[in-house]
Amino acid sequence: QVQLVESGGGFVQAGESLRLSCAASGRSVSSYNMAWFRQAPGKEREFIAAITWSEGTATYADSVKGRFTISRENAKNTVHLEMNSLKPEDTAVYYCARDRLEFRVAGEPKYDYWGQGTQVTVSS
């Protein structure tokens, strides 16, 4: 069984920070590409950040680049998303996702495992 459980969401004011965590069961996150997405009411799901299994290379959406940081904590089989300088437009449900293919060396990731999401609300 593969399970992803997000935590760390909450209510903050603009300019503050939050740290989201994604605890994974099953196979280690160290061998899979991992990612964070978010979805706000009335909008489609948006890619936020990803980290590769091979070198830990991070990729970010332009909307969060320079403010958010994705990382892995392999000893705890957990992926984190540090969110700094939060803005009201960051308000959304944030989801953790895992690539379907272990040790991927080619092709685009296909995220088939998702967490239940954690709500982040940023007030001005």
Side-chain angles (χ1 to χ4, degrees):
Q1 182 180 13
V2 178
Q3 185 176 13
L4 304 174
V5 180
E6 300 96 333
S7 63
F11 300 87
V12 297
Q13 294 183 339
E16 296 183 341
S17 301
L18 279 176
R19 188 194 193 207
L20 305 184
S21 297
C22 172
S25 64
R27 294 183 176 275
S28 174
V29 299
S30 65
S31 58
Y32 290 88
N33 297 326
M34 302 292 296
W36 286 93
F37 294 79
R38 68 185 181 188
Q39 186 167 23
K43 298 183 179 180
E44 65 180 6
R45 185 183 61 190
E46 176 188 15
F47 167 81
I48 297 301
I51 185 168
T52 65
W53 68 267
S54 55
E55 298 181 354
T57 302
T59 302
Y60 301 96
D62 289 339
S63 60
V64 305
K65 192 174 301 181
R67 299 188 298 119
F68 290 12
T69 302
I70 186 172
S71 63
R72 295 187 309 221
E73 193 172 4
N74 292 336
K76 296 183 178 180
N77 207 30
T78 300
V79 177
H80 301 286
L81 183 68
E82 287 280 355
M83 305 186 296
N84 300 313
S85 301
L86 284 164
K87 306 174 181 179
E89 49 263 46
D90 294 321
T91 296
V93 177
Y94 284 71
Y95 298 92
C96 174
R98 194 205 77 184
D99 193 0
R100 66 180 297 178
L101 181 62
E102 189 176 25
F103 302 117
R104 182 183 291 276
V105 296
E108 294 295 321
K110 296 181 179 179
Y111 300 102
D112 61 340
Y113 291 99
W114 298 80
Q116 83 289 345
T118 184
Q119 177 70 48
V120 173
T121 302
V122 184
S123 62
S124 59

